Amino acid sequence: MDRLKSRHLQIAMFLLPALLFYAVLLVYPVLRTFFLSLHEWNGFAGSKVEYVAFDNFKLVFEDEIFWKSLKNVMVVMLLSIAIQIPAGLFLALLLNGKWKGIRFFKAAFFMPVIMSATSISLLWKFILYPGDGLVDGLLMKMGLEDSIRAWLADPSINLYTVILICCWQGLGVVMIIFLSGLVSIPDAIKEAALIDGANRRQRLWFVTLPLIREAVAINVILLVIGTLKIFDNIYVLTDGGPNHATDVLGTFLYKEAFRNNRFGMASAIAVVMFLLGFVLTLVANRAMRRESLDG
Amino acid sequence: MTNAKVLRSSFMLVILAILITLTACGGNKGNNSSSSASSPAASSASSEAASEAPKEKVTLRIASAYTPDHTFGPAIAQIIDEFTKQHPEVTVEKEFLPVAELDKKLTADRAANNLPEIFIIFPGAGTADYVKEKKIIDLSEYLNADPDWKDGFISGALDNLKFEGFPGIYAAPIGAYSTGFYYNKELFQQAGVEPPKTWDDLLAVIGKLNAAKITPMAIGASESWRSEHLFTALFYKWNGAEKAKGILSRALPYSSPEVIEPLNKMVQLVEAGAFSKNYIANNYAAEIADFNNGKAAMRYSGSWTVGESTGPNSPAGFGDKVGFFPFPYFADKEEHKDSWMGGVSDSFAVSSRAEGHQKDMAIELVKTLTSTASSKLITEMAHDLTAVKADVDPAKSGKLIAEVSKAMSTGKEFSGDISAFEPYKPANTKLYDLTQAVLLKGITPEKAAKQLDDEVAKSK
C-alpha cells in the first residue's frame, strides 16, 4: 500500500510542473479573458478595472469594423476550404504513387508549413514589393505593365492576395492528412474495383473519395479553426489595412487591445471568437459525421 | 490510505501549488506599484546619498527611433559612445526601433511598468497620459539649475512639453521640424514650371507636369501617417493652427466644414493626378526612392527630407537638384498663409523608475544629448533641424537646410500633427485610418467625418 501511495505521489510530482504551466499560461489567461470581457480596463498595470456588464459586447457588435472583420474571416475560411481541399487532394494523389524523388517533393510541399508565418509573409512582401518586386518585375519584362496592381494595398484585391499566400503556406498540412488517408485504403478494395473494370475517374470518385471522408472532415475542421484565428500572416502582410480592408477578428482584437488600449473590448472579441469557433467546429463535426454515417 | 484518497490529496497539492503561483504574481504586482509610488522626497534623498558614495555601476536603457538608418542615428551613436567613455560606470542599452515599432514597444513597456530610463516622447495628448500616470519626471528643477542647458533650446520649444494641470516641463526636446514641398529643380525645368504659391498654382503645376509625362508627387500612401501629415497641413492652411484646439475641446466636431474641406482638398489632389498610378502601394521608403531617383517631381514632407535627399543614402549630387517651397496657401484663406505644420518632435523623457545614481546619470545623458555641442553634431551629420540652438557650419550641413530654415522664418504659427489634438485613443487611431482611406478614395470625406464623430461619441 505504501508503495502504491508513494508511486501516486511520484506521478503527481512529475505531472505538477506541466500542470502548473498549463494552469498559469492557459487556464488562467482564458478565465481572465472571460472576466475582462465584462470589465473596462486600459491595460496599464495599476489602473482601474471597472465592471461594465455587457457594454463591451455592445461596443463590439455596434462596431462596423467587427462586421467587416467577420465578413473577411468568412471569406478567408470559405476560400481556404475551396482552394486547399482540392489542391491538397490533388497533390496527395500525385504523391501517393511509387516513383523516384517522391520523398523530395513531399518535403518540398510541406516546407512552408514548418517555416514561421512572419518569414513567409516577409518573403511574399518582397516578392510583391511595388515596382521592384519579383512579380512586378516579371510582368514588366513580359510587357504586361498594365496588369500590375497594388497587390497588398489595393482594397479591391489585397484580401485575395493574402488568402493565396495563406493557402500556399497551409497546403502542406492538408496534403499530408490526405496522404495518410490514401495510404490507409486497403489494396484489396482498389484491386477489386480494378477487376470490376472501373476506370480511373470512377475509382477516384466511387472508391477513393468515400474512403477518405474522415481525412476531408479533419481537414475542414482544421481549416475552420485555423482561419478563424488567423492573425500573423495578415499582421505582417497588410496590418489589416488599408482602412480595415484586410482586417480579420484577430487583427481587430489586437488593435483594440494594443493600439486603442481597450482590453475589455478586446477580451469581448476573444469571447465572440471562442463561441464562434465552438459552434462552427460543432456544426462541421456533425455535418461530417452524418455524411459518413449516411455513406 | 485508499487510492481515491491519494488521488484527492495529490489533486489538493496541485491546486495549492497553483494558488501559490497566482498569489505570487499578485504580490509581485503590489511590490512594483509601491516602489513606483515612493515619494519624490525619498528618492531625491537617496540620490544625494548615492552621489556622495563611490560611483556605483548603473545601466541606462534608452529607447528611441535612432537606428543607424535614421538621419540622427550616426550622430546619436557617437554622442552616446563619448558619454560612456566619460562615465565608465554607466552601461547604455540602446533599444532603438523604427518609429511605428517604437510606439508599440513603449505601449507594452508602459503596461508592464517596465519603461526604459530614457525614452522618446512626442508633444501632444498622447504624452499627457504619461504625465498623469506619473510615469515620467518633471525636469524643470534640473533645467533651472543649469541655465546653459535651459537657454540652449530654441524659443518656445520647452512650452510644447508642458501639460495642463501638471506644472513642470516633462521632456527635453531634440527634434524640430517644419514641413513643406521639396521639389526636383531639373524636372520642374523640363516641364517649364515654377514653384507654386497658391493651391490653384499647385494644381496648375500638377497639370503641366502630367502633360510633360512627369509624375508630379511621390507619397508613401500605404503608411497612414503620410496622409495624416497631408491632412494636417491642409487643415492649418484652411483654418489656421489655433482651430485645431477645437478638436481637443470638442467644440469642433469632425463633421464641420472646417474638417471636411481639407479632406476634400486631398481628394482634389488625387483627382488632379498628383500621384503615380500605384501610389496606394507605396510605403515611405518607396516615396523617398521615387523622389531621389527622379521618378517624381515633388514630395510634401518634413525637414528630415533634407537628410534623406542630401545624406549618404541618396544618389551622389542629387541634393543640389532639390529645392524647397512652403505648402501652398488658399487664395481665399490668405489669413492662414503662414500657418505651418511643424514644431518640436522627438523629446527625451526620464522615467520615474530611475533612482539614485541611475537617475542622476539619466538626466546627465539627456543633458548631453540635448546640448548645443550635440545639436551642432546632429545638424551637421544629419542635415536636419533640431530643437537646440547650434553654431552650425553651413559647409557641413548643406545649402538645402539653410533654404528650409529661411523659408521657415516666414512662418507665423507652427503646430504639430493634428492627431495630437485627439485625446481619445480609438478616435486617434481612426483619424489615421480614415485620412488614409480618403486619400485612397475608399471613403468620402463626409462619411469619414461621421465615423470619427461616432467614435468620439463612444468616449466617456
Side-chain angles (χ1 to χ4, degrees):
Chain A
M1 202 72 227
D2 269 359
R3 254 183 71 191
L4 187 70
K5 189 172 136 192
S6 72
R7 205 168 149 64
H8 274 291
L9 208 68
Q10 216 176 5
I11 294 171
M13 293 310 277
F14 275 120
L15 286 177
L16 196 62
L19 198 64
L20 271 185
F21 271 112
Y22 185 71
V24 173
L25 298 177
L26 199 85
V27 178
Y28 174 69
V30 167
L31 294 178
R32 179 91 184 153
T33 303
F34 279 98
F35 169 82
L36 276 179
S37 69
L38 302 174
H39 292 74
E40 193 178 300
W41 183 46
N42 68 5
F44 296 118
S47 63
K48 210 170 58 182
V49 180
E50 196 186 333
Y51 178 72
V52 292
F54 289 97
D55 280 8
N56 286 323
F57 290 92
K58 212 177 129 215
L59 271 179
V60 171
F61 293 126
E62 279 174 359
D63 202 318
E64 280 176 52
I65 303 165
F66 168 75
W67 296 106
K68 196 166 188 176
S69 307
L70 185 65
K71 194 190 120 203
N72 284 345
V73 165
M74 291 302 155
V75 173
V76 173
M77 194 181 285
L78 293 177
L79 282 182
S80 294
I81 293 171
I83 295 169
Q84 293 197 47
I85 297 287
L89 183 62
F90 177 72
L91 283 183
L93 287 170
L94 274 184
L95 295 179
N96 191 33
K98 287 195 182 78
W99 37 282
K100 234 181 167 182
I102 210 154
R103 288 166 69 99
F104 167 77
F105 283 103
K106 273 184 196 167
F109 288 125
F110 198 72
M111 191 72 102
V113 176
I114 55 165
M115 283 162 75
S116 90
T118 311
S119 323
I120 294 280
S121 304
L122 282 176
L123 182 85
W124 276 98
K125 242 179 140 161
F126 289 129
I127 294 176
L128 298 169
Y129 199 84
D132 305 317
L134 191 65
V135 169
D136 286 7
L138 269 176
L139 287 173
M140 259 185 266
K141 285 233 167 75
M142 287 155 70
L144 295 169
E145 285 93 347
D146 289 343
S147 52
I148 290 178
R149 301 283 296 273
W151 308 110
L152 288 170
D154 186 340
S156 61
I157 57 163
N158 58 358
L159 185 63
Y160 304 106
T161 313
V162 170
I163 291 172
L164 283 177
I165 294 169
C166 294
C167 287
W168 176 81
Q169 187 181 8
L171 198 55
V173 176
V174 180
M175 175 194 82
I176 288 291
I177 291 172
F178 276 134
L179 259 176
S180 66
L182 289 175
V183 170
S184 67
I185 298 176
D187 283 341
I189 298 181
K190 286 191 254 180
E191 279 158 20
L194 209 65
I195 292 166
D196 287 344
N199 63 24
R200 232 158 203 261
R201 216 191 63 226
Q202 284 169 324
R203 266 180 287 151
L204 174 67
W205 202 248
F206 297 108
V207 180
T208 311
L209 280 184
L211 286 172
I212 56 163
R213 260 198 189 143
E214 280 297 314
V216 178
I218 293 168
N219 269 328
V220 169
I221 290 169
L222 285 180
L223 283 172
V224 165
I225 299 170
T227 49
L228 192 66
K229 56 180 195 183
I230 185 169
F231 170 76
D232 34 18
N233 293 75
I234 294 188
Y235 178 70
V236 178
L237 284 167
T238 63
D239 195 16
N243 195 30
H244 312 289
T246 50
D247 256 333
V248 286
L249 293 174
T251 53
F252 177 47
L253 183 158
Y254 173 83
K255 286 175 183 175
E256 282 306 328
F258 295 100
R259 293 202 193 149
N260 293 342
N261 300 341
R262 289 195 284 208
F263 279 78
M265 184 172 165
S267 301
I269 301 167
V271 170
V272 172
M273 281 171 77
F274 167 78
L275 293 175
L276 214 62
F278 190 72
V279 171
L280 280 175
T281 314
L282 223 61
V283 170
N285 223 342
R286 273 282 161 77
M288 292 295 173
R289 193 181 303 159
R290 183 172 309 144
E291 225 174 71
S292 57
L293 284 179
D294 290 350
Chain B
M1 213 177 208
T2 62
N3 227 346
K5 263 190 186 163
V6 175
L7 261 178
R8 206 177 304 150
S9 59
S10 13
F11 181 70
M12 289 306 287
L13 196 74
V14 169
I15 295 289
L16 193 71
I18 293 171
L19 281 175
I20 289 167
T21 29
L22 293 187
T23 44
C25 288
N28 199 10
K29 249 180 215 160
N31 282 344
N32 276 349
S33 59
S34 71
S35 75
S36 70
S38 67
S39 72
S43 74
S44 71
S46 71
S47 77
E48 269 161 36
S51 58
E52 280 159 25
K55 287 172 182 174
E56 54 172 310
K57 280 202 183 320
V58 293
T59 303
L60 292 179
R61 287 162 60 213
I62 171 167
S64 79
Y66 306 136
T67 56
D69 297 335
H70 191 285
T71 51
F72 280 22
I76 295 284
Q78 196 174 321
I79 296 164
I80 292 178
D81 276 352
E82 272 163 34
F83 180 85
T84 45
K85 263 180 219 152
Q86 274 172 19
H87 303 274
E89 81 277 19
V90 179
T91 311
V92 176
E93 280 178 12
K94 295 182 208 165
E95 300 179 349
F96 292 1
L97 294 163
V99 182
E101 305 305 316
L102 183 70
D103 185 47
K104 289 176 205 160
K105 175 205 155 46
L106 288 176
T107 307
D109 282 354
R110 182 173 153 200
N113 211 358
N114 185 34
L115 282 164
E117 280 73 41
I118 302 171
F119 58 96
I120 287 287
I121 53 137
F122 297 91
T127 299
D129 290 341
Y130 284 107
V131 180
K132 276 182 215 155
E133 290 169 17
K134 298 196 171 63
K135 298 278 188 200
I136 56 181
I137 63 168
D138 171 16
L139 295 176
S140 47
E141 177 193 336
Y142 307 95
L143 283 159
N144 292 335
D146 188 347
D148 278 352
W149 183 29
K150 193 179 181 184
D151 297 339
F153 297 98
I154 55 175
S155 78
L158 292 175
D159 295 338
N160 287 281
L161 298 146
K162 292 176 178 169
F163 297 91
E164 231 176 272
F166 299 90
I169 296 164
Y170 286 88
I174 183 65
Y177 70 105
S178 69
T179 60
F181 275 83
Y182 292 82
Y183 72 102
N184 184 322
K185 291 178 193 165
E186 269 185 13
L187 295 179
F188 264 46
Q189 225 166 21
Q190 270 179 42
V193 289
E194 290 287 318
K197 289 211 162 49
T198 65
W199 182 254
D200 294 331
D201 292 346
L202 177 68
L203 294 179
V205 164
I206 288 170
K208 282 184 189 158
L209 284 165
N210 272 325
K213 300 236 177 304
I214 297 167
T215 302
M217 273 179 85
I219 189 165
S222 73
E223 293 182 30
S224 58
W225 64 281
R226 302 306 296 139
S227 47
E228 189 264 353
H229 275 195
L230 186 59
F231 171 66
T232 301
L234 287 162
F235 183 93
Y236 293 157
K237 292 287 170 189
W238 190 260
N239 303 300
E242 201 61 22
K243 198 89 195 175
K245 289 183 182 158
I247 293 176
L248 185 67
S249 68
R250 303 290 178 221
L252 184 78
Y254 286 103
S255 305
S256 47
E258 285 90 339
V259 177
I260 292 186
E261 261 321 297
L263 288 172
N264 279 332
K265 298 294 173 193
M266 285 171 71
V267 180
Q268 205 179 0
L269 267 189
V270 178
E271 284 173 352
F275 309 113
S276 64
K277 195 182 126 207
N278 276 318
Y279 72 106
I280 57 173
N282 279 0
N283 58 11
Y284 185 65
E287 174 183 330
I288 301 174
D290 277 3
F291 181 69
N292 281 1
N293 295 323
K295 284 190 197 161
M298 297 181 277
R299 275 180 73 189
Y300 164 63
S301 188
S303 39
W304 54 84
T305 305
V306 179
E308 289 163 358
S309 285
T310 63
N313 294 331
S314 62
F318 177 72
D320 297 331
K321 295 182 197 166
V322 181
F324 175 84
F325 60 88
F327 199 102
Y329 63 93
F330 298 102
D332 47 345
K333 298 275 182 186
E334 212 180 332
E335 63 274 27
H336 305 307
K337 178 171 172 257
D338 299 318
S339 296
W340 287 49
M341 179 191 176
V344 164
S345 55
D346 313 23
S347 307
F348 291 109
V350 175
S351 160
S352 49
R353 289 174 67 240
E355 279 176 350
H357 190 50
Q358 191 190 31
K359 182 179 174 188
D360 295 341
M361 281 297 106
I363 289 164
E364 195 57 37
L365 178 54
V366 169
K367 207 184 264 191
T368 309
L369 285 163
T370 54
S371 67
T372 46
S374 295
S375 172
K376 180 176 158 70
L377 186 76
I378 294 170
T379 312
E380 289 175 359
M381 284 177 79
H383 301 189
D384 199 351
L385 305 171
T386 70
V388 182
K389 294 171 204 161
D391 187 15
V392 178
D393 180 356
K396 285 185 183 159
S397 68
K399 273 184 296 184
L400 187 54
I401 198 75
E403 196 180 330
V404 173
S405 299
K406 200 177 145 209
M408 209 177 150
S409 64
T410 65
K412 295 224 170 67
E413 53 175 3
F414 289 86
S415 191
D417 288 68
I418 202 147
S419 59
F421 294 95
E422 176 48 71
Y424 184 50
K425 196 75 200 278
N428 193 297
T429 314
K430 266 227 153 87
L431 189 58
Y432 280 89
D433 288 346
L434 289 170
T435 48
Q436 185 190 33
V438 168
L439 188 71
L440 306 186
K441 294 185 77 182
I443 190 168
T444 63
E446 287 77 12
K447 274 191 188 151
K450 191 182 169 296
Q451 282 193 19
L452 279 164
D453 281 335
D454 288 349
E455 195 65 53
V456 169
K458 288 183 200 161
S459 71
K460 282 185 183 167

